[in-house]
Amino acid sequence: MTDLIFTEQQLVQSLKEYIQAEESKLAAIKSWANRLDALTRTSTADPEGYLAHPVNAYKLMKRLNTEWSELENMVLQDPADGFISNISVHRQYFPDEEDEKGAAKALMRLQDTYKLDPESISKGRLPGVKFNAVLTVDDCYDMGKTAYNEGDYYHTVLWMQQALKQLDEGEEAVVTKSDVLDYLSYSVYQMGDIPRAIELTRRLVVVDPNHQRAGGNLRYFEKLYAKEMREREKTEQPPATETPIELGTYVRPPDYLPERETYEALCRGEGVKMTIQRQSRLFCRYQDGNRSPRLLLAPVKEEDEWDSPHIVRYLDVLSDAEIEKIKELAKPRLARATVRDPKSGVLTVANYRVSKSAWLEGEDDPVIARVNQRIEDITGLTVETAELLQVANYGVGGQYEPHYDFSRKDEPDAFKTLGTGNRVATYLNYMSDVEAGGATVFPDFGAAIWPRKGTAVFWYNLFRSGEGDYRTRHAACPVLVGSKWVSNKWIHERGQEFRRPCGLTEVD
């Protein structure tokens, strides 16, 4: 997306050049018109006397024969050709409708995860922002339409209500109040709030008495409400005055993720807090990777992040220069991140993982080889059978919902083609600080680990027996403000037989 910023800058410059060319052309035509206007006023006052002068007669012939033709050619010239050509070249890099829809859904994802009301987003009131940005009425309306087209009436209501609020405050817009009320009233009805649907439809009828659906919808809603009241043996009338819809007016419909509330609470920093007794069991230490020759004189600083399962953070394991080199190598290869289909084992994109990723080999650059060797030295595990270094970039709204890194018993073929066994451990480098959001969270036991540039976290996905540690189900929280860069190494079982031998029990 940073490339698009510069693309837009070039287009603006091209547009300014086009405007300047149009203005120069118009100035030349206006100068011509003014000169001829003065000339024709003189000539038409006494045509015969004017033409009595032989020079005037000559110049009239010349003007009509050649100069007016030159003016015609000037008028027919189109300075827009350069601009149109430029925009056509760049159009191949433009986002498409799917990209725009994805960006809108990312905003809604942030809205839900961090409990932000639409007004906070619309007014740009977000933590850690450097630049102010606001959403207009038309922007809010388009957000609502995106949700509506997805059958998401919950977010449609919130964003159409925000558009209506800004219209009521006097903000100018292309979209009309009638359009907003049309979507809002129907979506409120879909949320099961018939009294408010009646109230909003009545307002729509007042605003636009000739609206093609409003009258019919109003009669239908009133009929439904009357039936509902009869069934309840009540005679209440719908409220006469409108009360604003706010975040919390309606309950967000449940979705496919059972631990949604826990996951989002952790992302907001509202997770389980360790007791003082448990915190006292967390230490920091120097780690030499079981006396690795490369770490004896320069051991790595290691901090305990969680006691059970044991999660550690390593400090200062990537320099700024190394980070920039990794990003430089990854950027041309970045593509929408994929997940492995548990049934087929085939890699595919999924809505619960929204990021861009690239895979780097040790042969790509000495920096990658050095990072791979460092991971082996620190963890004491061989990376010969590990997967390539995966670099991932999470933009605003980017996330990876709760998942396991290891393959479960119901997906035995997940890593069959690799022939290196299951993913025994995960080593995750943080390559950027994040202004807000972007934590790595573990919903099962309540840990939340926040990105710190140049550090890395490490945990085992499997017990020594090879059984999966289901507590390690984790997630990458949506990035609220900023951009999150990580690189990770998934270390596999093969080759670890003597480096991490089996224990005596299933859960050692």
Side-chain angles (χ1 to χ4, degrees):
M1 286 180 70
T2 52
D3 293 338
L4 292 178
I5 292 287
F6 294 105
T7 295
E8 190 169 45
Q9 181 190 41
Q10 292 174 15
L11 290 176
V12 169
Q13 182 59 38
S14 178
L15 182 61
K16 288 167 72 174
E17 290 170 0
Y18 160 65
I19 292 170
Q20 186 176 7
E22 285 280 21
E23 287 175 342
S24 298
K25 171 183 166 181
L26 193 58
I29 294 170
K30 286 171 73 175
S31 172
W32 173 276
N34 290 336
R35 181 168 62 85
L36 285 184
D37 183 46
L39 187 64
T40 54
R41 276 201 301 269
T42 302
S43 62
T44 53
D46 181 8
E48 289 190 11
Y50 179 82
L51 291 172
H53 197 299
V55 172
N56 285 340
Y58 162 72
K59 292 187 71 174
L60 176 63
M61 294 300 105
K62 180 186 175 186
R63 279 199 306 273
L64 291 173
N65 183 48
T66 59
E67 294 182 13
W68 274 99
S69 296
E70 291 171 1
L71 178 63
E72 182 182 16
N73 291 335
M74 184 190 298
V75 171
L76 290 174
Q77 285 177 2
D78 191 356
D81 288 344
F83 172 71
I84 296 300
S85 173
N86 199 5
I87 201 170
S88 297
V89 168
H90 286 96
R91 190 176 296 281
Q92 61 182 313
Y93 305 112
F94 281 14
D96 57 20
E97 189 174 343
E98 190 68 21
D99 294 317
E100 183 181 345
K101 184 171 73 174
K105 290 167 78 172
L107 277 180
M108 295 176 209
R109 191 180 307 127
L110 296 175
Q111 177 183 358
D112 294 338
T113 304
Y114 298 104
K115 288 191 174 179
L116 301 171
D117 60 274
E119 183 162 16
S120 294
I121 299 175
S122 175
K123 304 301 181 188
R125 294 196 294 264
L126 300 177
V129 293
K130 297 178 182 177
F131 302 95
N132 191 33
V134 297
L135 293 176
T136 64
V137 169
D138 297 302
D139 293 331
C140 294
Y141 175 77
D142 288 337
M143 287 283 293
K145 274 188 68 175
T146 299
Y148 182 88
N149 292 335
E150 293 284 305
D152 179 1
Y153 300 110
Y154 171 77
H155 287 105
T156 305
V157 168
L158 291 175
W159 284 103
M160 289 299 175
Q161 176 67 31
Q162 182 60 31
L164 183 62
K165 183 174 185 286
Q166 291 178 212
L167 279 172
D168 288 342
E169 290 171 353
E171 184 179 323
E172 293 185 2
V174 174
V175 67
T176 65
K177 196 171 288 190
S178 169
D179 292 331
V180 175
L181 284 166
D182 189 16
Y183 278 100
L184 182 57
S185 58
Y186 184 75
S187 298
V188 164
Y189 157 68
Q190 288 287 351
M191 292 299 294
D193 191 349
I194 298 175
R196 200 186 298 266
I198 292 172
E199 170 187 320
L200 290 165
T201 309
R202 284 176 176 170
R203 186 174 173 189
L204 173 56
V205 170
V206 172
V207 170
D208 185 1
N210 298 318
H211 193 280
Q212 59 179 354
R213 286 184 301 277
N217 284 353
L218 181 57
R219 288 189 293 274
Y220 177 67
F221 295 156
E222 287 175 338
K223 185 177 178 181
L224 282 179
Y225 187 75
K227 181 181 177 183
E228 186 180 302
M229 289 300 99
R230 281 196 303 273
E231 289 173 354
R232 295 184 184 180
E233 296 182 349
K234 293 182 180 180
T235 56
E236 293 179 14
Q237 293 296 316
T241 56
E242 182 183 340
T243 53
I245 299 167
E246 299 173 346
L247 190 68
T249 299
Y250 301 114
V251 177
R252 179 164 43 129
D255 65 4
Y256 55 87
L257 194 62
E259 66 263 68
R260 173 73 65 188
E261 288 188 16
T262 304
Y263 157 56
E264 292 182 349
L266 287 170
C267 290
R268 294 191 296 271
E270 300 170 3
V272 176
K273 305 299 179 187
M274 267 195 177
T275 62
I276 300 296
Q277 184 179 5
R278 286 186 69 183
Q279 286 181 6
S280 69
R281 295 199 292 267
L282 303 181
F283 296 95
C284 57
R285 63 190 72 79
Y286 284 106
Q287 169 66 266
D288 63 9
N290 196 22
R291 300 186 63 78
S292 165
R294 278 171 287 270
L295 296 180
L296 277 175
L297 295 179
V300 173
K301 289 175 277 188
E302 179 184 277
E303 295 179 348
D304 290 332
E305 285 281 352
W306 204 262
D307 54 353
S308 180
H310 195 205
I311 303 174
V312 297
R313 187 194 294 263
Y314 302 112
L315 277 62
D316 304 322
V317 290
L318 279 182
S319 68
D320 287 348
E322 287 173 329
I323 288 171
E324 290 308 310
K325 187 63 180 179
I326 293 170
K327 287 163 67 174
E328 178 191 323
L329 293 168
K331 277 183 179 179
R333 311 181 192 188
L334 285 175
R336 174 73 186 270
T338 57
V339 296
R340 196 173 294 276
D341 187 288
K343 294 181 179 177
S344 66
V346 176
L347 293 174
T348 182
V349 298
N351 290 331
Y352 59 83
R353 187 180 191 188
V354 183
S355 65
K356 298 173 291 295
S357 65
W359 300 84
L360 301 179
E361 300 185 51
E363 292 78 13
D364 290 335
D365 192 272
V367 167
I368 307 303
R370 189 161 68 239
V371 169
N372 288 341
Q373 184 62 58
R374 188 175 303 147
I375 293 171
E376 180 167 313
D377 293 340
I378 291 172
T379 64
L381 301 173
T382 180
V383 296
E384 289 297 317
T385 56
E387 294 174 47
L388 302 179
L389 187 71
Q390 180 182 223
V391 181
N393 174 228
Y394 297 83
V396 172
Q399 63 161 3
Y400 194 172
E401 288 181 353
H403 62 283
Y404 301 101
D405 280 351
F406 64 92
S407 67
R408 275 78 65 212
K409 291 180 179 178
D410 60 347
E411 42 183 16
D413 297 333
F415 305 117
K416 187 176 181 179
T417 55
L418 298 179
T420 53
N422 212 339
R423 288 172 174 168
V424 66
T426 296
Y427 185 100
L428 177 65
N429 289 306
Y430 291 116
M431 303 199 300
S432 66
D433 294 312
V434 180
E435 285 84 346
T440 304
V441 299
F442 295 77
D444 188 76
F445 51 90
I449 299 172
W450 300 91
R452 282 157 58 189
K453 186 178 181 181
T455 70
V457 291
F458 174 79
W459 67 86
Y460 283 103
N461 298 306
L462 307 179
F463 292 110
R464 287 180 176 270
S465 63
E467 291 295 318
D469 187 345
Y470 284 81
R471 298 173 299 172
T472 60
R473 183 172 166 87
H474 60 286
C477 293
V479 175
L480 178 56
V481 179
S483 178
K484 176 183 172 185
W485 284 88
V486 298
S487 59
N488 66 278
K489 197 79 171 172
W490 280 311
I491 302 171
H492 282 247
E493 291 178 287
R494 297 292 177 265
Q496 319 302 346
E497 293 82 1
F498 298 104
R499 293 174 183 247
R500 192 189 187 229
C502 288
L504 298 177
T505 70
E506 192 174 285
V507 293
D508 280 356

